[in-house]
């Protein structure tokens, strides 16, 4: 299903392999030599190697994986786009935890706001759009935090005016997260919770040092981009379209 990244690597390999066949120059001559023919031959060889894979790559990138009912852009404290992405991350995180026979189920999720690079436009959504939304090679990971650490984390989200959080509800009051509810229950400082997020955030990116102070860490080996593609395509095949969802998960006092 997720052929695009491997095809890119394959094309790069062939280009490098061909380039490595160049002959080393052992002496310098002042004689004028026509090289246009040789260059054209090399170019033709490169094209003949590259073109079949380019065609496959183009077809894959243009494959329709969903339909969006309206334009979506990211916004704070919450938005249809941020909610969509973080909810699918939590959904796919739960699925992957089962698939990998992990002894936990993630209860919350986080999609760093700056990592969402573009929005969704009304109409067909193709594979290429997933690369635009998430052009980085970040992976989905799980981290375990105490309730006290989660509170500290949500305070940071509140201080920034909101963000992309799943499995949680809270009110922003004086730049702090108040009345935090996780899985329908008040956040307990002494409890432990698993979060689905990306490796960039988990390693303290965007000054989220508290996530680096986690109790435990599990890597899935799956790119966030592939998680998006998998979820969009699964919903599309089931007959569902992408809709904006506002549920008041983050509100201002």
């Amino acid at each position: 299903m997720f052929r695009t990244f491997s095809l890119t690597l394959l094309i790069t390999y062939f280009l490098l392999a061909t380039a490595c066949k160049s002959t080393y120059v052992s002496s310098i001559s002042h004689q004028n030599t026509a090289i246009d023919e040789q260059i054209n031959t090399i170019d033709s060889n490169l094209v003949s190697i590259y073109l079949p894979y380019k065609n496959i790559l183009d077809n894959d990138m243009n494959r329709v994986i969903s339909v969006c009912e309206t334009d979506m852009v990211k916004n704070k404290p919450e938005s249809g786009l941020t909610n969509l992405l973080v909810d699918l991350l939590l959904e796919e995180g739960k699925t992957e935890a089962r698939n990998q026979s992990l002894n936990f189920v993630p209860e919350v999720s986080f999609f760093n706001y700056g990592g969402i690079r573009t929005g969704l436009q009304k109409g067909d959504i193709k594979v290429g759009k997933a690369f635009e939304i998430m052009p980085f090679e970040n992976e989905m990971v799980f981290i375990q935090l105490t309730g006290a650490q989660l509170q500290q984390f949500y305070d940071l989200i509140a201080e920034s005016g909101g963000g992309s959080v799943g499995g949680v509800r809270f009110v922003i009051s004086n730049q702090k997260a108040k009345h935090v509810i996780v899985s329908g229950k008040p956040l307990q400082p002494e409890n432990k919770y698993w979060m689905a997020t990306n490796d960039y955030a988990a390693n303290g990116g965007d000054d989220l040092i508290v996530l680096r102070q986690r109790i435990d860490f599990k890597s899935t080996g799956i790119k966030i981009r592939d998680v998006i593609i998998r979820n969009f395509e699964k919903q599309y095949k089931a007959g569902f379209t992408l809709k904006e969802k506002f549920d008041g998960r983050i509100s201002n006092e």
Side-chain angles (χ1 to χ4, degrees):
M1 182 183 294
F2 309 122
R3 304 188 302 268
T4 47
F5 184 62
S6 60
L7 285 172
T8 303
L9 290 178
L10 188 59
I11 292 168
T12 304
Y13 168 79
F14 276 115
L15 290 175
L16 290 175
T18 306
C20 290
K21 294 180 181 179
S22 301
T23 305
Y24 290 102
V25 178
S26 58
S27 62
I28 300 175
S29 172
H30 293 286
Q31 180 179 357
N32 292 327
T33 304
I35 59 172
D36 289 351
E37 227 176 89
Q38 181 181 1
I39 291 177
N40 288 337
T41 301
I42 294 174
D43 287 346
S44 297
N45 289 338
L46 287 175
V47 170
S48 66
I49 294 172
Y50 167 73
L51 191 57
Y53 299 98
K54 179 183 182 300
N55 291 337
I56 295 173
L57 182 61
D58 287 344
N59 289 335
D60 195 47
M61 295 291 278
N62 289 317
R63 190 175 79 251
V64 175
I65 55 175
S66 191
V67 174
C68 194
E69 292 196 359
T70 185
D71 292 345
M72 294 191 201
V73 296
K74 66 179 182 180
N75 205 351
K76 295 182 179 182
E78 66 171 312
S79 69
L81 180 63
T82 52
N83 289 352
L84 172 72
L85 293 175
V86 78
D87 286 349
L88 75 81
L89 182 61
L90 183 55
E91 178 186 339
E92 295 299 326
K94 291 178 179 179
T95 298
E96 200 56 40
R98 289 193 298 269
N99 291 344
Q100 297 192 16
S101 300
L102 302 178
N103 61 350
F104 62 83
V105 176
E107 294 185 70
V108 295
S109 57
F110 171 65
F111 210 118
N112 60 304
Y113 193 79
I116 304 172
R117 306 305 289 185
T118 188
L120 293 171
Q121 288 74 47
K122 181 179 180 179
D124 290 348
I125 302 299
K126 302 177 181 179
V127 169
K129 176 55 68 173
F131 279 76
E132 294 177 25
I133 294 173
M134 177 52 60
F136 314 107
E137 296 304 304
N138 298 131
E139 293 186 359
M140 179 171 67
V141 300
F142 302 119
I143 56 175
Q144 188 182 45
L145 303 163
T146 66
Q149 288 173 320
L150 261 187
Q151 179 65 61
Q152 184 181 347
F153 168 71
Y154 291 133
D155 283 342
L156 292 173
I157 299 300
E159 185 178 353
S160 70
S164 188
V165 294
V168 63
R169 300 176 66 88
F170 61 83
V171 176
I172 299 177
S173 176
N174 296 321
Q175 295 189 318
K176 297 292 183 180
K178 300 292 181 65
H179 312 302
V180 182
I181 303 295
V182 173
S183 297
K185 300 177 182 178
L187 182 68
Q188 299 298 320
E190 68 279 4
N191 286 1
K192 296 176 183 179
Y193 302 85
W194 281 95
M195 172 189 288
T197 186
N198 62 63
D199 54 342
Y200 172 77
N203 290 322
D206 290 343
D207 297 323
L208 298 173
I209 305 303
V210 63
L211 299 187
R212 198 167 62 192
Q213 297 168 347
R214 64 210 173 224
I215 301 170
D216 203 352
F217 174 94
K218 298 289 183 184
S219 177
T220 66
I222 303 173
K223 296 285 188 294
I224 292 289
R225 180 191 308 120
D226 287 347
V227 172
I228 295 172
I229 294 171
R230 181 170 73 183
N231 186 269
F232 280 10
E233 200 161 33
K234 178 174 63 178
Q235 299 297 329
Y236 183 54
K237 289 179 178 178
F240 296 103
T241 56
L242 303 180
K243 302 178 182 179
E244 283 196 312
K245 175 185 176 183
F246 294 89
D247 55 15
R249 67 186 65 187
I250 305 178
S251 59
N252 289 294
E253 190 176 51

